[in-house]
Amino acid sequence: MSSEQGLGHHQQPPVPDSNMDQTPFARPISTASAAGGERFSQAPTVVVDAALDSEPAVAAPATAASAAAVAAAAEEEDLQPPTALANRNSAAFGDGSPSNGSANNLPYRNSLAPTAAGSAPHFGDSDKEAAAAAASDAPRGTSPFPDLGPQSDEGVSKNKRKKLLFILGGVAALAIVAVAVAVPVAITQTKKSSSSSSSSSAPSSSGPDDTGSGETGNPTSSGPTSAVTGGDGSTITTEKGTTFTYVNKFGGSWYDDPADPYNNNAQAQSWSPPLSKEFDFQNDPMRGVNLGGWLVPEPFIVPALFEPYVNGTPAAHDEWTLSQAMAADTANGGLDQLEKHYDTFIHSQTEEDFAQIAGAGLNWIRLPIPFWAVEKYPDEPFLEKVAWKYILKAFKWARKYGLRINLDLHTIPGSQNSYNHSGKGGQINFLYGPMGLANAQRTLDYLRVITEFISQPEFAPVVPMFGIINEPVVTSIGKDQLTSFYLQAHDVIREVTGKGAGKGPFIAVHDSFQGLANWVDLLPGHDRMALDVHPYLIFVNVDRSPLSEQINKPCTSWASSMNTSWSNFGVSVAGEFSLAINDCGLWINGVNSGTRWEGTFGSGDGEKGDCTEWNDYASWTQDRKDDFKAFALRNFDALGHFFFWTWKIGPSSVTGKIETPMWSYSLGLKEGWIPEDPSQATGVCGGNNPAQPLTAEMLGTAGGDISASVRAANPWPPTSLNPGSLNADNVPVYTATGAIPTLAVPTPTTGNVDGWFNDADTKPIYTPIAGC
């Protein structure tokens, strides 16, 4: 197989072994007996205020962190929003207006030519073995998957709420201002009285103040005549009191009214539907970016966080070891350093990044989160629950700027893949090994708790997709076992949400580096599942041909597979990809692991290249930037629905520079190698045949019933576990007698937001058996 066909993902190798102010709020939880039972009001859990420099009272970390949060301030990317585009007619949907086409109207996918399933080239076993031999502690994926076909990961690195009426009390007139694409717009609206709520924000309900604030708990707008909405050129005041100018040349508008905190009128761009309308997966493109490294830190994304500890004991190479090292470093703030990172990494103001994402022509965010945002066990070193505060911030800011979130559970108890971004590298203990089933039980509980929160009508419009497990290594876990888990997870989620369009999020599952075509028959009759693939070019073969000769790779390798999956399975997205054409960059393959390009990682190709020219973006010529931009457009067009990995790369504390520029969308915007208008990608691959329209079953307007025969073929728990066909009846399990974890809700807690959508869902969660 030629190197042009070599695709992969940034992951580390499987080495299997056997402050947002949060109002005090009491919610009944389960106090069931060992025999099971129901959730009832006996001993309520109280969520108390959480100051910025301390953990919430509900958290109980194994190691106490210092009260002082002291961290070296990393150099911030000086991102300027994109300038006005000269020719908007090149954008998808022509003049940039929202699409209201029929099911056959797929303008953004017309360039993708579907081919017969299974026509993709396959990666040879010898190449798989070579990749396995070369594996090391790489941060994300290295699985080859030509044309998104079969891939290998073996040894490779990487309602109940009632809607309230919208009453405009005391408003004499409402000025309606047409928003021109390049004309600054700001609409000043009289603040509504506290007794009035919005119904224009449907499908969500009005409710309590969703501030997401870690400082004051107050919304950004204040005063009886404050601006609550605006467009290009308007001024935003953040919850920290700082201001910035909102720049959006695509007709986008923001909305933030303290009297109507769950209003969904914001719109990322004129062509992207406001959150008050259901997202049309048939006709609306998903153009997104990951917020990688924010709530799940990774060494190559935030090297400055790891650099003080990479040579210590333990040497930090994943969040497990980083947390251990930080907890011991009380002089510099202990684990509180992580919250300092949460509060500052995306941007010194953080919120501004969300505004810039909308201003960059993107309408979705993929948000990786850790399971310890819900809870952790005493022997786990992570910073418990604090990340949830920032997840709530993300929900608030996404709503404010009209962005939708693909919520991605990036870490899994025990690790689903052994990669450093799973929480703990070097092992797989999810659905694999003696503790595999117990960790799967925990995972199902966390999926249930998160689903209960995001399915509340106040949050459902913001989170229309939930990725339930990131990059599980199926070659270790086993496809039968993983499919059984997917069926159980599907049922757990749909028992919360109900079935059918508009009832809870799409459930996204990763292809496990086996190719989209290998999952086309996953759980027939399912209710709104989506497939996720992560196409990277760089983690197997080294292609030393010039960038100019690699520009068309996405079109020739990915478009047909994406279209085939769209036609045969349904909604299919590229949850991660980058512009990297080689593995140059600081710690791309793991901390101090070297690179294939330089011949210092794995067996390589016998040559020793120099990464300087690829890491030093300041030296890039205009021709190179133009080639990267053309390459980006072909990625966008070939993948159709995409999430670039990642929005931002932080600088090294050693060099003061960003050392992995091919992975940073925001840096590329600033420096000119990322397109200012991603919709210009439409048609660049040159194809003429769109994917087939999604069926009613794919969209949840029909079907949704998994047959008894499919269920019988995928029992839960599975009958055996790897390695060695362990009898699932003989491995340790937890008991379903635990109290349900309570996720904090925004301040103030009024109305119906309590963090739990389905009051009929009262089952206790799994917990260790006393004495075991």
Side-chain angles (χ1 to χ4, degrees), residues 156-400:
V156 286
S157 63
K158 204 0 332 119
N159 232 349
K160 69 182 192 310
R161 311 310 190 269
K162 295 181 180 179
K163 293 188 170 75
L164 303 179
L165 298 178
F166 180 64
I167 303 171
L168 290 176
V171 179
L174 177 64
I176 302 175
V177 181
V179 181
V181 168
V183 179
V185 174
I187 302 173
T188 301
Q189 186 181 57
T190 301
K191 183 178 175 182
K192 290 178 282 292
S193 69
S194 60
S195 63
S196 301
S197 300
S198 171
S199 64
S200 63
S201 60
S204 75
S205 306
S206 267
D209 177 52
D210 176 21
T211 68
S213 169
E215 288 72 36
T216 66
N218 296 320
T220 59
S221 301
S222 62
T225 59
S226 294
V228 299
T229 185
D232 183 43
S234 57
T235 299
I236 304 288
T237 301
T238 73
E239 60 195 28
K240 294 182 178 181
T242 58
T243 62
F244 65 90
T245 300
Y246 178 71
V247 180
N248 189 311
K249 305 303 180 182
F250 305 109
S253 62
W254 58 274
Y255 196 102
D256 183 32
D257 184 358
D260 191 14
Y262 295 107
N263 187 291
N264 290 316
N265 286 340
Q267 192 165 4
Q269 302 86 25
S270 63
W271 49 261
S272 187
L275 299 182
S276 57
K277 296 183 179 180
E278 293 282 351
F279 190 81
D280 183 355
F281 286 93
Q282 179 70 75
N283 295 298
D284 298 328
M286 300 170 71
R287 299 181 178 124
V289 67
N290 282 269
L291 295 184
W294 182 26
L295 303 178
V296 183
E298 300 186 30
F300 90 97
I301 301 177
V302 284
L305 204 61
F306 286 80
E307 282 166 333
Y309 305 107
V310 294
N311 296 316
T313 303
H317 61 90
D318 54 20
E319 193 159 352
W320 183 286
T321 51
L322 177 67
S323 298
Q324 289 176 323
M326 282 185 166
D329 185 15
T330 57
N332 285 308
L335 272 180
D336 287 345
Q337 294 176 85
L338 279 171
E339 183 164 12
K340 178 69 173 179
H341 162 74
Y342 297 159
D343 195 48
T344 61
F345 169 65
I346 293 297
H347 195 279
S348 58
Q349 299 179 118
T350 310
E351 176 184 339
E352 188 172 356
D353 285 272
F354 285 72
Q356 290 172 345
I357 288 169
L362 304 171
N363 61 345
W364 278 74
I365 285 170
R366 183 170 178 260
L367 181 62
I369 64 171
F371 73 79
W372 50 90
V374 178
E375 70 169 16
K376 72 177 186 67
Y377 278 7
D379 61 341
E380 295 168 333
F382 307 117
L383 183 60
E384 186 179 28
K385 292 183 180 288
V386 177
W388 183 253
K389 177 167 63 176
Y390 294 87
I391 295 169
L392 289 180
K393 287 176 180 282
F395 293 170
K396 170 184 170 58
W397 294 327
R399 186 195 311 276
K400 182 172 180 177

Side-chain angles (χ1 to χ4, degrees), residues 454-465:
I454 64 176
S455 297
Q456 298 174 103
E458 295 82 5
F459 295 96
V462 181
V463 190
M465 184 171 284

Side-chain angles (χ1 to χ4, degrees), residues 423-708:
K424 187 175 186 179
Q427 64 175 30
I428 298 176
N429 278 318
F430 163 81
L431 216 57
Y432 181 96
M435 289 302 295
L437 182 54
N439 282 323
Q441 291 175 317
R442 284 182 68 188
T443 303
L444 290 168
D445 279 334
Y446 300 154
L447 293 176
R448 170 186 166 212
V449 171
I450 294 169
T451 298
E452 286 283 6
F453 194 98
I454 64 176
S455 297
Q456 298 174 103
E458 295 82 5
F459 295 96
V462 181
V463 190
M465 184 171 284
F466 185 16
I468 61 174
I469 177 170
N470 180 65
E471 300 176 354
V473 174
V474 71
T475 52
S476 295
I477 296 171
K479 189 172 183 180
D480 290 344
Q481 289 81 356
L482 193 57
T483 301
S484 293
F485 176 82
Y486 285 156
L487 174 55
Q488 187 70 7
H490 170 278
D491 289 351
V492 165
I493 291 171
R494 293 303 175 221
E495 285 171 6
V496 170
T497 69
K499 296 178 183 178
K503 295 181 178 180
F506 265 76
I507 303 168
V509 297
H510 185 249
D511 75 336
S512 299
F513 311 114
Q514 300 304 294
L516 293 169
N518 281 278
W519 298 93
V520 67
D521 294 323
L522 176 66
L523 302 180
H526 64 74
D527 180 55
R528 291 167 297 135
M529 295 185 75
L531 287 179
D532 175 22
V533 66
H534 299 174
Y536 291 98
L537 291 167
I538 68 170
F539 291 107
V540 184
N541 296 328
V542 179
D543 186 347
R544 300 187 184 273
S545 61
L547 170 60
S548 60
E549 296 179 10
Q550 301 190 49
I551 289 173
N552 285 320
K553 278 184 178 181
C555 298
T556 58
S557 299
W558 302 345
S560 63
S561 291
M562 291 300 294
N563 258 17
T564 298
S565 183
W566 187 268
S567 299
N568 295 343
F569 180 85
V571 174
S572 302
V573 303
E576 297 182 17
F577 70 101
S578 77
L579 296 189
I581 62 166
N582 55 54
D583 64 342
C584 289
L586 180 66
W587 298 344
I588 287 293
N589 296 305
V591 173
N592 296 328
S593 293
T595 69
R596 297 168 184 82
W597 188 260
E598 296 168 305
T600 55
F601 176 83
S603 58
D605 62 352
E607 298 186 32
K608 295 185 181 296
D610 186 353
C611 278
T612 302
E613 64 170 310
W614 299 105
N615 297 342
D616 184 17
Y617 64 89
S619 67
W620 290 359
T621 65
Q622 190 60 49
D623 284 345
R624 173 161 290 182
K625 292 182 179 181
D626 289 345
D627 285 343
F628 268 124
K629 184 178 290 188
F631 183 52
L633 289 170
R634 282 152 181 79
N635 274 277
F636 299 167
D637 193 36
L639 297 173
H641 295 271
F642 62 81
F643 297 85
F644 187 93
W645 188 277
T646 183
W647 174 246
K648 178 181 179 180
I649 299 291
S652 163
S653 63
V654 176
T655 67
K657 296 188 295 186
I658 295 167
E659 299 287 354
T660 50
M662 292 182 284
W663 297 79
S664 176
Y665 200 102
S666 57
L667 182 65
L669 273 178
K670 174 190 172 186
E671 298 293 335
W673 66 79
I674 290 283
E676 293 177 328
D677 180 2
S679 69
Q680 290 180 331
T682 303
V684 298
C685 283
N688 297 311
N689 298 316
Q692 296 300 308
L694 298 173
T695 66
E697 289 79 7
M698 295 171 180
L699 292 169
T701 56
D705 295 314
I706 298 174
S707 69

Side-chain angles (χ1 to χ4, degrees), residues 739-765:
I740 301 170
T742 302
L743 293 176
V745 298
T747 298
T749 306
T750 59
N752 293 312
V753 178
D754 64 1
W756 202 258
F757 172 69
N758 187 348
D759 283 340
D761 180 7
T762 61
K763 297 185 297 293
I765 69 165

Side-chain angles (χ1 to χ4, degrees), residues 96-176:
S97 61
S99 168
N100 58 0
S102 69
N104 294 314
N105 178 19
L106 299 169
Y108 58 96
R109 296 187 64 81
N110 283 345
S111 62
L112 311 186
T115 59
S119 63
H122 291 246
F123 194 70
D125 289 339
S126 61
D127 290 330
K128 294 177 185 176
E129 293 166 2
S136 182
D137 183 28
R140 297 196 70 78
T142 64
S143 293
F145 58 113
D147 197 17
L148 302 189
Q151 306 149 54
S152 168
D153 47 48
E154 299 176 75
V156 286
S157 63
K158 204 0 332 119
N159 232 349
K160 69 182 192 310
R161 311 310 190 269
K162 295 181 180 179
K163 293 188 170 75
L164 303 179
L165 298 178
F166 180 64
I167 303 171
L168 290 176
V171 179
L174 177 64
I176 302 175

